Amino acid sequence: QKEVEQNSGPLSVPEGAIASLNCTYSDRGSQSFFWYRQYSGKSPELIMSIYSNGDKEDGRFTAQLNKASQYVSLLIRDSQPSDSATYLCAAGNTDKLIFGTGTRLQVFP
Amino acid sequence: DAGVTQSPTHLIKTRGQQVTLRCSPKSGHDTVSWYQQALGQGPQFIFQYYEEEERQRGNFPDRFSGHQFPNYSSELNVNALLLGDSALYLCASSLYHLSLNTEAFFGQGTRLTVV
């Protein structure tokens, strides 16, 4: 079983819609969770961090964490073509981050 | 405020050779972690350095070694290169916390190709 699982996609949404990205993790000891955006050929860019159950909003992005269900999600409101990228979910496990394989998001005009 | 910088950006090496990659962390950060990202995969943790010591190591052979200097910069060394070592090598810097992973920021990466 993979430690952090994501649907590889692609997830296709029209411009202006809400994109919903999901992630599950297996290690109940994980306490920190992160979403990174990675454009093709580039390095991951941190867009959200979340440490406690509930929602955290930052601009068009909302991260949701449910530790009981071992589930993390990222909502992107008013999706733009520039949001088209691979979104990596990561769970913090002591000194390291465990990444999923990423979900490819495509926002079409 | 300088972000995380890595050098070189691209590198081509022959099987069996050795390579050294370099990383300077974001200003104010004291911890450097190295990751390997193969095509189509998420980054895989190699090891982390804090206070010039290796704090934790992922599932990588001893051919992978590292170092952290007093100014917090770090090097990743890979010996006896294999074709399978071809990947994007990422350096992430963060601020050390005893029990929690703080936000980690990545450099632009070094694309290593082994031929």
Side-chain angles (χ1 to χ4, degrees):
Chain A
Q1 180 189 4
K2 291 183 182 177
E3 296 182 65
V4 175
E5 293 207 45
Q6 297 181 255
N7 188 319
S8 60
L11 173 65
S12 293
V13 300
E15 185 174 357
I18 295 176
S20 178
L21 303 160
N22 305 312
C23 166
T24 58
Y25 62 95
S26 60
D27 183 358
R28 288 195 173 273
S30 299
Q31 298 186 60
S32 318
F33 303 89
F34 307 91
W35 284 98
Y36 287 84
R37 177 175 62 200
Q38 187 171 29
Y39 293 111
S40 181
K42 303 295 186 183
S43 65
E45 172 193 8
L46 180 66
I47 52 174
M48 288 290 286
S49 61
I50 188 165
Y51 297 91
S52 54
N53 280 330
D55 295 359
K56 179 182 177 182
E57 186 175 319
D58 184 1
R60 295 187 297 114
F61 300 99
T62 298
Q64 300 174 315
L65 173 60
N66 183 326
K67 289 185 178 180
S69 301
Q70 296 175 251
Y71 177 87
V72 193
S73 67
L74 178 71
L75 299 178
I76 306 174
R77 288 181 299 282
D78 188 23
S79 295
Q80 301 297 309
S82 59
D83 295 325
S84 298
T86 296
Y87 289 79
L88 296 163
C89 172
N93 183 334
T94 56
D95 295 332
K96 64 186 176 186
L97 295 179
I98 307 296
F99 284 87
T101 54
T103 297
R104 190 157 61 95
L105 173 66
Q106 294 177 338
V107 181
F108 56 91
Chain B
D1 177 24
V4 183
T5 58
Q6 291 186 245
S7 64
T9 55
H10 294 84
L11 205 51
I12 299 175
K13 289 286 189 178
T14 304
R15 272 184 302 174
Q17 284 189 314
Q18 178 264 346
V19 67
T20 297
L21 311 181
R22 296 177 175 82
C23 171
S24 292
K26 182 178 167 68
S27 177
H29 283 182
D30 55 11
T31 301
V32 172
S33 303
W34 287 93
Y35 291 82
Q36 180 196 68
Q37 187 176 25
L39 208 58
Q41 301 297 315
Q44 297 290 312
F45 176 77
I46 303 175
F47 42 53
Q48 182 185 82
Y49 278 87
Y50 169 66
E51 290 188 331
E52 301 178 49
E53 290 187 9
E54 184 181 292
R55 293 288 164 166
Q56 189 166 352
R57 188 181 184 89
N59 191 23
F60 279 81
D62 291 346
R63 298 187 297 109
F64 290 77
S65 63
H67 189 78
Q68 186 180 35
F69 299 94
N71 67 352
Y72 307 120
S73 67
S74 176
E75 288 181 349
L76 164 65
N77 300 292
V78 187
N79 295 322
L81 285 166
L82 304 174
L83 296 179
D85 295 331
S86 296
L88 180 66
Y89 287 84
L90 296 162
C91 167
S93 85
S94 57
L95 200 55
Y96 184 78
H97 189 288
L98 185 63
S99 59
L100 209 62
N101 294 87
T102 58
E103 292 182 342
F105 297 88
F106 285 93
Q108 80 276 27
T110 295
R111 174 73 61 187
L112 172 66
T113 302
V114 182
V115 296

